[in-house]
């Protein structure tokens, strides 16, 4: 006998497919601050064996979205069926129409899906995104998604602790809102903190949302995520909150650029450390640039494979991906999200320091 909370392996509990008719597609909205581990979760779910057709929707933020999307794609290879982009600054207005149109189009082309996973930008208000699926049900569209929406809030435990020590910034406000609206809170990156800190974070989460389920994860992995049945269980219990407030990510900017050529690994490390740790780079107004999220695909000298660069606040990592570079097409692509960013200055430093070294 299976325990109530344990997801059975890949055998359906019910002889009927869990989702059959149009208008019954469960949606899981994945929220969480920049870099909390949302994409890691998507990749985990999509690479695990399951018999479900899953549509993945990214709701990206800022001008970097096309590039960010391609970074995520190259991470997961051909696993994703198709990409939809709900690109706009203000989620509260147009996302509703665009988003549903996009899903309708996708279903016309590809047939039905069993599940929809929607990764929101780390700065989104989940309520606004959820209302996109909710309001349409009332309007009776062809493919209304019937409000079985599950919201997860991902917590980057390290940032959570840091922000809790600081005064109540709007960043923390948006994290609190995500928790308040969530059905499930995933406390991720537990490898980076002590058990005491973890307990404190759990207490805080419970004080914000007494009903929320909490799981602790490393690399967003949990046996319960192995099959999508987990999600359908949650969806039945879900109470949907609607809000049309969008917390503006005021001064946060996205800067992206592409540079062909090979990089020296040492020089790249120094560049990233000066940027993230030392905050040595100033914008034209003399203010230090603060990067809160860094993503990139880079070509390191001597390596055939693409290397992924990922940074969240002061932590960063370089990981070789399974993807090989095509011959003569080694192009470094970088995305910086943060405050006081200046593209020209960043690119100049990058070109001068990281590429230059190889010419010696
Ligand atoms: N140490 C540690 N690092 C993790 C863990 N989970 C994810 N990361 C790292 O955190 C970084 C961000 O992970 P992503 O999954 O891209 O985060 P995200 O929430 O999708 O980020 P955005 O889409 O930019 O908001 C990557 O470098 C991951 O490898 C974890 O449990 N422990
Ligand atoms: Zn992501």
């Amino acid at each position: 006998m299976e325990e109530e909370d344990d997801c059975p392996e890949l055998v359906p509990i019910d002889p009927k497919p869990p989702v059959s008719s149009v208008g019954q597609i469960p949606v899981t909205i994945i929220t969480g601050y920049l870099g909390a581990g949302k994409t890691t979760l998507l990749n985990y779910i999509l690479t695990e064996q399951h018999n479900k057709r899953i549509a993945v929707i990214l709701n990206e933020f800022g001008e970097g979205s096309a590039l960010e999307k391609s970074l995520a794609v190259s991470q997961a290879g051909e696993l994703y069926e198709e990409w939809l982009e709900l690109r706009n600054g203000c989620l509260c207005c147009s996302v509703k129409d665009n988003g549903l149109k996009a899903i309708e189009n996708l279903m016309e082309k590809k047939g039905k899906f069993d599940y929809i996973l929607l990764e929101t930008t780390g700065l989104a208000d989940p309520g606004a995104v959820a209302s996109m699926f909710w309001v349409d049900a009332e309007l009776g569209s062809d493919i209304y998604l019937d409000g079985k929406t599950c919201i997860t809030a991902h917590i980057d435990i390290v940032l959570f602790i840091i922000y809790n020590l600081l005064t109540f910034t709007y960043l923390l406000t948006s994290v609190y809102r995500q928790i308040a609206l969530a059905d499930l809170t995933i406390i991720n990156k537990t490898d980076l903190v002590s058990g005491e800190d973890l307990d404190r974070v759990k207490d805080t989460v419970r004080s914000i949302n007494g009903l929320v389920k909490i799981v602790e994860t490393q690399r967003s992995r949990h046996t319960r995520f192995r099959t999508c049945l987990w999600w359908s269980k949650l969806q039945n219990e879900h109470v949907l909150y609607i809000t049309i407030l969008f917390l503006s990510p005021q001064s946060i900017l996205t800067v992206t650029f592409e540079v062909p050529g090979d990089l020296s690994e040492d020089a790249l490390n120094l560049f990233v450390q000066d940027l993230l740790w030392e905050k040595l780079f100033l914008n034209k107004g003399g203010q230090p640039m603060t990067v809160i999220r860094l993503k990139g695909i880079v070509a390191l000298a001597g390596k055939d494979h693409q290397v992924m660069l990922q940074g969240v606040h002061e932590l960063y990592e370089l990981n070789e991906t399974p993807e090989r570079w095509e011959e003569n097409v080694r192009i470094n692509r970088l995305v910086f999200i943060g405050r006081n960013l200046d593209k020209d200055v960043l690119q100049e430093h990058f070109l001068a320091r990281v590429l230059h070294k190889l010419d010696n």
Side-chain angles (χ1 to χ4, degrees):
M1 275 276 107
E2 297 288 346
E3 291 250 331
E4 172 58 26
D5 265 357
D6 275 343
C7 243
E9 289 302 314
L10 304 169
V11 195
I13 316 177
D14 191 318
K16 281 181 299 191
V19 179
S20 51
S21 62
V22 171
Q24 295 276 306
I25 304 169
V27 179
T28 292
I29 297 173
I30 301 173
T31 72
Y33 196 64
L34 289 169
K38 301 179 293 295
T39 303
T40 307
L41 173 67
L42 283 181
N43 286 334
Y44 175 55
I45 294 173
L46 294 177
T47 45
E48 288 294 316
Q49 273 303 317
H50 55 69
N51 321 318
K52 306 290 184 292
R53 281 171 55 79
I54 301 175
V56 174
I57 304 174
L58 284 193
N59 190 339
E60 293 287 4
F61 161 74
E63 62 154 307
S65 54
L67 195 51
E68 286 195 64
K69 180 179 68 175
S70 64
L71 291 181
V73 171
S74 61
Q75 201 174 10
E78 73 293 355
L79 283 162
Y80 294 110
E81 293 263 342
E82 177 107 4
W83 291 88
L84 298 180
E85 224 179 314
L86 313 183
R87 191 207 301 224
N88 55 353
C90 171
L91 284 168
C92 52
C93 342
S94 53
V95 80
K96 207 164 60 203
D97 303 336
N98 295 345
L100 283 174
K101 264 277 131 42
I103 293 167
E104 272 173 355
N105 292 344
L106 184 61
M107 293 195 355
E108 260 168 37
K109 236 174 13 191
K110 294 257 180 177
K112 282 199 300 275
F113 290 99
D114 301 316
Y115 286 90
I116 294 177
L117 298 180
L118 191 153
E119 177 182 347
T120 63
T121 133
L123 300 165
D125 180 333
V129 183
S131 67
M132 143 182 154
F133 294 101
W134 185 251
V135 176
D136 204 70
E138 290 169 348
L139 298 176
S141 149
D142 290 349
I143 57 135
Y144 72 89
L145 306 159
D146 62 359
K148 284 187 179 172
T149 307
C150 168
I151 301 177
T152 71
H154 244 76
I155 299 181
D156 182 325
I157 191 167
V158 179
L159 293 182
F160 196 80
I161 291 167
I162 295 170
Y163 286 144
N164 260 316
L165 293 175
L166 300 174
T167 43
F168 200 72
T169 63
Y170 76 90
L171 292 179
L172 191 54
T173 313
S174 71
V175 175
Y176 279 15
R177 287 185 62 82
Q178 290 168 350
I179 295 168
L181 289 164
D183 305 286
L184 168 70
T185 295
I186 299 165
I187 302 182
N188 191 34
K189 307 195 186 180
T190 55
D191 53 314
L192 299 176
V193 299
S194 71
E196 249 172 41
D197 282 337
L198 177 60
D199 286 343
R200 230 173 288 138
V201 169
K202 279 198 282 193
D203 288 346
T204 311
V205 169
R206 287 212 186 86
S207 73
I208 298 168
N209 183 341
L211 297 174
V212 75
K213 288 177 200 294
I214 299 176
V215 297
E216 299 154 28
T217 59
Q218 297 183 7
R219 305 271 157 196
S220 301
R221 284 169 173 268
H222 196 285
T223 46
R224 285 172 180 176
F225 302 155
R226 250 188 285 155
T227 71
C228 295
L229 299 171
W230 161 265
W231 308 104
S232 54
K233 248 183 218 167
L234 276 171
Q235 275 140 9
N236 294 334
E237 298 159 13
H238 178 65
V239 182
L240 188 67
Y241 297 80
I242 300 180
T243 168
I244 46 164
L245 250 185
F246 179 61
L247 293 168
S248 153
Q250 285 121 357
S251 53
I252 297 185
L253 300 172
T254 304
V255 164
T256 67
F257 57 78
E258 298 193 349
V259 180
D262 281 4
L263 309 182
S264 133
E265 186 166 354
D266 290 346
L268 178 64
N269 274 304
L270 284 178
F271 170 86
V272 171
Q273 288 162 17
D274 282 349
L275 178 67
L276 301 186
W277 301 355
E278 311 296 338
K279 306 207 172 18
L280 283 187
F281 304 145
L282 308 180
N283 67 9
K284 292 189 188 99
Q287 295 150 312
M289 298 191 213
T290 313
V291 173
I292 52 182
R293 188 77 174 97
L294 173 62
K295 302 187 208 185
I297 291 287
V298 293
L300 297 184
K303 288 210 199 283
D304 293 337
H305 287 255
Q306 303 183 357
V307 172
M308 171 152 311
L309 167 64
Q310 289 255 31
V312 182
H313 283 248
E314 312 222 317
L315 293 176
Y316 77 96
E317 56 189 18
L318 285 167
N319 290 313
E320 205 162 312
T321 72
E323 213 77 24
R324 280 175 174 277
W325 288 108
E326 283 170 43
E327 243 174 282
N328 303 326
V329 201
R330 293 167 68 94
I331 298 173
N332 303 278
R333 290 174 288 157
L334 292 127
V335 179
F336 306 83
I337 302 175
R339 288 189 201 78
N340 302 326
L341 301 184
D342 183 309
K343 178 173 174 170
D344 296 340
V345 177
L346 269 177
Q347 197 167 350
E348 266 166 40
H349 278 293
F350 188 83
L351 288 173
R353 295 186 44 176
V354 187
L355 271 182
H356 173 80
K357 296 257 147 72
L358 291 170
D359 300 333
N360 292 338

